Amino acid sequence: MRADARRNRQSVLDAAYDILAVEGLGVPIDEIARRAGVGAGTVYRHFPTKESLIEAVVLDRLEALTAKARSGIDFAEFFTVMVEAGLANRAIAEVLASAGYHIPADADAALNAAFAELLQAAQRRGDVRLDVTPDDIQALVIGCVATARHRGATDLVQIVVAGLRA
Amino acid sequence: MRADARRNRQSVLDAAYDILAVEGLGVPIDEIARRAGVGAGTVYRHFPTKESLIEAVVLDRLEALTAKARSGIDFAEFFTVMVEAGLANRAIAEVLASAGYHIPADADAALNAAFAELLQAAQRRGDVRLDVTPDDIQALVIGCVATARHRGATDLVQIVVAGLRA
DNA sequence: GGTTAAACGGGGCGACCGTTCCGATTATAG
DNA sequence: CTATAATCGGAACGGTCGCCCCGTTTAACC
């Protein structure tokens, strides 16, 4: 791979990450290209479709979340981390809410597995009601992101966490 | 107003209500027109912009909700009613989440006022924590709709309601 | 039934966006 | 330095959608 090609590819990824976080999935490719200082054609040479570019960006974030989940973090804390991740990055939130795009099953599964472990540990310790599943929690995270977006305060998350207690 | 004009206006409103509930705000005007059995031009004669048509439809729903809030309903029940309204009607949910559109301030205010009364009564009775405001609840409703859309179950609402208890 | 003005409908315009194409450019090897 | 092939950039295409226009229809009143 030629040096300029590799450099451009990275510029596109960086620009896409920044803009997607702020503008969400609706942002035009041309805007990402302009921000990256390349032409739209260059974006499409490296990523065959808009969806594949978004996938590459989002995947990176999901992996970071998975790593965090495996770092011995507390369940309630991690819940907050996930909500904050969705808040800081519109694209993440929209993809999680599957507003048109979908993520590769294996990346999703890895996050879910790490997450399920945290949840089960919390339930074994008696901190969380037994009748909630990982899917329930994912839905609640999506909901909390939507909630928090419309009120600056993230302390509403505490209400949901309180409701989760055994 | 001519009889056919009044009839067509109503057809458009009915069609818009049905389609918006299922498809959400992204639905093209032509589709609403087709469903109503009229041309797109006719839609625009009665509603100058797409937004004004949506506003008319959503307003009607908000008024129904306001009436329900004033019918002596219990706070927790009404919370569920609002979530279900958002769930049954994509357009309502998207407007509430202000995905691009906004509702006239007075209709919003009427609903909020009726709603604030319910909340205060519940707080006086000691059923709901004192540190939540009507705005908090509205945000939570939006979140619950987002949550419930991604899991068939509305019983997740119970978790949030449990968290709201004093 | 005739007259008239309101209402109709669907083709068309302009804007936007994802994607493709191709002539110009430039990194790299010999 | 030159040749060459990979890469670039941005104009252009096709599709979609909100909105407008205007020739045609039709309700309403005499």
Side-chain angles (χ1 to χ4, degrees):
Chain A
M1 177 130 95
R2 254 168 61 169
D4 57 345
R6 187 163 42 246
R7 223 181 318 123
N8 278 331
R9 188 190 148 88
Q10 193 57 48
S11 297
V12 169
L13 271 175
D14 291 347
Y17 179 85
D18 289 346
I19 301 190
L20 283 172
V22 176
E23 308 277 345
L25 301 178
V27 69
I29 287 286
D30 297 42
E31 201 172 323
I32 295 177
R34 194 159 39 75
R35 173 90 151 236
V38 303
T42 302
V43 174
Y44 278 94
R45 177 172 334 281
H46 294 295
F47 304 94
T49 66
K50 182 182 179 181
E51 187 166 353
S52 74
L53 169 58
I54 289 172
E55 192 180 291
V57 171
V58 169
L59 224 69
D60 184 66
R61 286 288 83 192
L62 288 192
E63 278 162 11
L65 276 178
T66 306
K68 186 90 181 177
R70 293 191 174 127
S71 70
I73 195 176
D74 172 58
F75 168 77
E77 265 182 86
F78 185 61
F79 191 94
T80 310
V81 166
M82 286 188 77
V83 172
E84 274 164 8
L87 258 178
N89 194 314
R90 263 185 77 169
I92 291 277
E94 286 167 15
V95 168
L96 284 181
S98 52
Y101 290 81
H102 65 303
I103 45 188
D106 51 349
D108 199 25
L111 179 57
N112 278 357
F115 185 61
E117 256 176 67
L118 273 187
L119 175 61
Q120 280 168 24
Q123 285 175 325
R124 243 178 276 121
R125 228 178 302 120
D127 290 350
V128 172
R129 315 160 45 140
L130 296 174
D131 62 345
V132 298
T133 67
D135 276 358
D136 291 335
I137 304 292
Q138 188 187 351
L140 283 173
V141 168
I142 292 169
C144 282
V145 171
T147 301
R149 190 180 307 292
H150 289 275
R151 295 274 286 68
T154 39
D155 52 340
L156 290 182
V157 172
Q158 299 313 316
I159 291 175
V160 174
V161 172
L164 284 172
R165 277 190 229 295
Chain B
M1 178 129 92
R2 250 166 64 167
D4 55 346
R6 187 163 42 247
R7 225 181 315 122
N8 279 332
R9 189 190 148 89
Q10 194 58 47
S11 296
V12 169
L13 272 175
D14 292 346
Y17 178 84
D18 289 346
I19 302 190
L20 283 171
V22 176
E23 308 277 346
L25 300 178
V27 70
I29 287 286
D30 296 41
E31 200 171 326
I32 295 176
R34 197 158 38 76
R35 173 91 150 234
V38 303
T42 301
V43 174
Y44 278 94
R45 164 141 338 98
H46 293 296
F47 304 96
T49 65
K50 182 182 179 181
E51 186 166 355
S52 74
L53 169 58
I54 289 172
E55 193 179 291
V57 170
V58 169
L59 224 70
D60 183 66
R61 285 288 85 192
L62 287 192
E63 279 163 12
L65 275 178
T66 306
K68 186 91 180 178
R70 292 192 174 126
S71 70
I73 195 176
D74 172 59
F75 168 78
E77 264 182 85
F78 185 61
F79 191 94
T80 310
V81 166
M82 285 187 78
V83 172
E84 274 164 8
L87 215 65
N89 193 316
R90 263 186 77 168
I92 291 275
E94 285 166 18
V95 167
L96 284 181
S98 50
Y101 290 81
H102 65 302
I103 45 187
D106 52 346
D108 200 25
L111 178 56
N112 279 356
F115 185 61
E117 256 176 67
L118 273 187
L119 174 61
Q120 280 168 23
Q123 285 175 324
R124 242 178 277 121
R125 227 177 302 121
D127 290 349
V128 172
R129 311 159 50 137
L130 294 174
D131 62 344
V132 298
T133 67
D135 276 359
D136 291 335
I137 305 291
Q138 187 186 354
L140 283 173
V141 169
I142 292 169
C144 282
V145 171
T147 301
R149 187 178 307 294
H150 288 274
R151 292 275 287 66
T154 39
D155 51 343
L156 291 181
V157 172
Q158 297 315 316
I159 292 175
V160 174
V161 171
L164 284 172
R165 275 191 230 297

